[in-house]
C-alpha cells in the first residue's frame, strides 16, 4: 500500500517511519506535524490527492498529547478535513488516539465500545476527533494507545530524564494507573494492522492496544531511574510519590485489547522489557548532540 504518514516527527511517527522503511512492505510518504498545520480544508485535501495514498495514518493528535502539547479546536478540525478527503477519494483513514478519552473512573479496563467519559479539555477534543472520523469516513481505523514512550522525540521518557539529569526531583502521581507502550512496539502494532489491511482485510472501527502490565507515573519513573543510573549519578530521593490527599481516589486508564488480538492476531508485549534499551538509546542520542556553549 501507499501510506501517507501525518505527524512523522512525533515519537511514534519516527518509530513507525523507521519500521515501514526497514521492512519495505509499503510505500511511505511522510508529512511532519509542522507541515500539517493547514489553515484550510483545501490544503489538507491537496496533500491527500497529491500523494495518491491508499491509507492516511494520522499521528498528530496522539503525538501532541503524549508530548504535553495543548490541543485546540483547529487540531481536531484538521483531522476532520483529512477524514473528509479520505472519504471523497476512496482512501482509508487511520487515526491514532489515546486512552485519554477516558476519565479512569470505571474501576476496570476500558472496552472499545465504552463511551468516552473524560470531561477534561483534552479528553473532550480527542473524543470529538474520534466521533467525526466515524461519521465522515466509512473505511476508518481508530487505534487508542496507552502512553507512548521513546528514546527519540518528546514524550514522558524524555520529560522525566531531562528533569532528572538537570538535578530536579520528580514528585509523581501513584493513583492513576495505565499501561505504557514503547514506540517501537506501537509501530509494530500499527504496521501489523497496515499489513493486513493491505492484504485485503475489511476490518474497520475502534481498537485498543497497550502493554499488559499496569503501572503509574511513580513506578514508571523508578524503572527509568534504575536504568539511567548506569549513565549518570542521581540523588537517592530523585523520584518520590506524590502525597495522597483525603479526597483522592485511585483511577485506572488501562485498556482491554481483545478486539485487536482477535481481529489481527496482535498480542500485547510488556513495557518493562523495552526500558533499558530505550534509556540507553536516549543517552546515546544525547551524547551525539552538540554541546551548548556557556
Amino acid at each position: 500500500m501507499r501510506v501517507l504518514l501525518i505527524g512523522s516527527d512525533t515519537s511514534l511517527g519516527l518509530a513507525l517511519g523507521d519500521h515501514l522503511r526497514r521492512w519495505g512492505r509499503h510505500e511511505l510518504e511522510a508529512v511532519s506535524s509542522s507541515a500539517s498545520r493547514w489553515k484550510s480544508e483545501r490544503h489538507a485535501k491537496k496533500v491527500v490527492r497529491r500523494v495518491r495514498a491508499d491509507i492516511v495514518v494520522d499521528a498528530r493528535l496522539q503525538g501532541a498529547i503524549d508530548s504535553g502539547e495543548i490541543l485546540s479546536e483547529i487540531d481536531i478540525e484538521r483531522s476532520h478535513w483529512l477524514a473528509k478527503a479520505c472519504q471523497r477519494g476512496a482512501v482509508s483513514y487511520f487515526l491514532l488516539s489515546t486512552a485519554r478519552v477516558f476519565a479512569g473512573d470505571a474501576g476496570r479496563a476500558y472496552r472499545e465500545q465504552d463511551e468516552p467519559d473524560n470531561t477534561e479539555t483534552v479528553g473532550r477534543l480527542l473524543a470529538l476527533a474520534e466521533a467525526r472520523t466515524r461519521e465522515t469516513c466509512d473505511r476508518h481505523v481508530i487505534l487508542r494507545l496507552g502512553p507512548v514512550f521513546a528514546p527519540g522525540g518528546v514524550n514522558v521518557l524524555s520529560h522525566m530524564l531531562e528533569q532528572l539529569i538537570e538535578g530536579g526531583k520528580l514528585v509523581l502521581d501513584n493513583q492513576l494507573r495505565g499501561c505504557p507502550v514503547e514506540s517501537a512496539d506501537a509501530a509494530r502494532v500499527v504496521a501489523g494492522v497496515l499489513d493486513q489491511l493491505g492484504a485485503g482485510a475489511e476490518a474497520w472501527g475502534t481498537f485498543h492496544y497497550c502493554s499488559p502490565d499496569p503501572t503509574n507515573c511513580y513506578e514508571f519513573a523508578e524503572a527509568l531511574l534504575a536504568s539511567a543510573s548506569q549513565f549518570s549519578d542521581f540523588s537517592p530521593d530523585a523520584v518520590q510519590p506524590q502525597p495522597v490527599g483525603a479526597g483522592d481516589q485511585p483511577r485506572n486508564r488501562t485498556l482491554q485489547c481483545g478486539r485487536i488480538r482477535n481481529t489481527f492476531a496482535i498480542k500485547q508485549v510488556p513495557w518493562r522489557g523495552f526500558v533499558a534499551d530505550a534509556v540507553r538509546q536516549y543517552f546515546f542520542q544525547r551524547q551525539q548532540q552538540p554541546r551548548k556553549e556557556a
Side-chain angles (χ1 to χ4, degrees):
M1 286 197 304
R2 191 168 183 80
V3 177
L4 172 58
L5 173 59
I6 309 291
S8 59
D9 53 344
T10 65
S11 294
L12 177 49
L14 292 168
L16 180 58
D18 288 345
H19 185 103
L20 295 178
R21 293 185 189 96
R22 184 184 315 120
W23 290 97
R25 294 183 183 129
H26 307 280
E27 296 180 61
L28 177 64
E29 290 285 340
V31 176
S32 68
S33 297
S34 59
S36 60
R37 294 194 177 104
W38 307 296
K39 295 183 178 180
S40 72
E41 182 177 347
R42 179 175 59 85
H43 294 133
K45 181 180 178 181
K46 184 176 180 180
V47 171
V48 175
R49 290 182 62 183
R50 175 180 58 80
V51 172
R52 297 183 180 179
D54 298 300
I55 189 166
V56 173
V57 179
D58 188 355
R60 297 173 310 108
L61 302 183
Q62 177 275 329
I65 290 170
D66 281 356
S67 69
E69 292 183 30
I70 298 175
L71 288 186
S72 62
E73 292 282 354
I74 187 61
D75 296 311
I76 308 309
E77 196 63 29
R78 288 171 182 138
S79 290
H80 192 205
W81 294 341
L82 285 172
K84 287 198 286 185
C86 288
Q87 179 69 10
R88 291 168 183 159
V91 177
S92 305
Y93 182 53
F94 194 144
L95 176 65
L96 294 173
S97 184
T98 86
R100 292 285 296 276
V101 296
F102 299 119
D105 300 327
R108 56 166 174 78
Y110 284 92
R111 300 182 292 261
E112 291 85 353
Q113 63 267 32
D114 287 331
E115 287 294 322
D117 60 354
N118 188 354
T119 58
E120 296 176 351
T121 300
V122 63
R124 290 189 290 103
L125 289 176
L126 200 51
L128 179 59
E130 291 186 0
R132 287 182 174 175
T133 296
R134 295 186 190 97
E135 294 165 0
T136 304
C137 187
D138 296 333
R139 296 167 62 88
H140 71 266
V141 171
I142 296 171
L143 177 60
R144 295 175 181 145
L145 296 164
V148 174
F149 67 96
V154 182
N155 56 84
V156 63
L157 181 147
S158 63
H159 280 311
M160 288 183 174
L161 289 181
E162 283 170 15
Q163 291 183 62
L164 290 172
I165 290 168
E166 291 173 1
K169 293 184 178 180
L170 301 178
V171 181
L172 299 166
D173 183 7
N174 62 358
Q175 292 290 94
L176 174 60
R177 300 191 72 77
C179 297
V181 184
E182 205 275 338
S183 61
D185 188 36
R188 169 189 69 91
V189 172
V190 174
V193 174
L194 291 175
D195 288 346
Q196 296 188 53
L197 294 178
E202 291 291 327
W204 312 105
T206 303
F207 298 87
H208 287 173
Y209 182 80
C210 63
S211 59
D213 38 350
T215 189
N216 56 50
C217 287
Y218 170 67
E219 293 173 353
F220 181 77
E222 284 213 308
L224 292 187
L225 181 62
S227 291
S229 296
Q230 303 174 53
F231 305 97
S232 187
D233 294 325
F234 301 100
S235 168
D237 60 349
V239 176
Q240 301 176 19
Q242 182 175 297
V244 179
D248 291 345
Q249 296 294 323
R251 292 182 295 153
N252 186 345
R253 282 203 187 112
T254 59
L255 302 171
Q256 284 192 14
C257 303
R259 188 169 184 234
I260 200 167
R261 181 183 64 246
N262 297 335
T263 305
F264 298 108
I266 291 174
K267 296 182 179 180
Q268 294 169 274
V269 178
W271 62 270
R272 291 181 184 275
F274 292 96
V275 169
D277 191 52
V279 170
R280 180 187 61 78
Q281 289 185 51
Y282 171 83
F283 277 94
F284 175 78
Q285 292 173 14
R286 183 181 175 86
Q287 291 173 354
Q288 304 308 306
Q289 295 173 357
R291 294 188 177 183
K292 297 180 180 179
E293 296 184 5

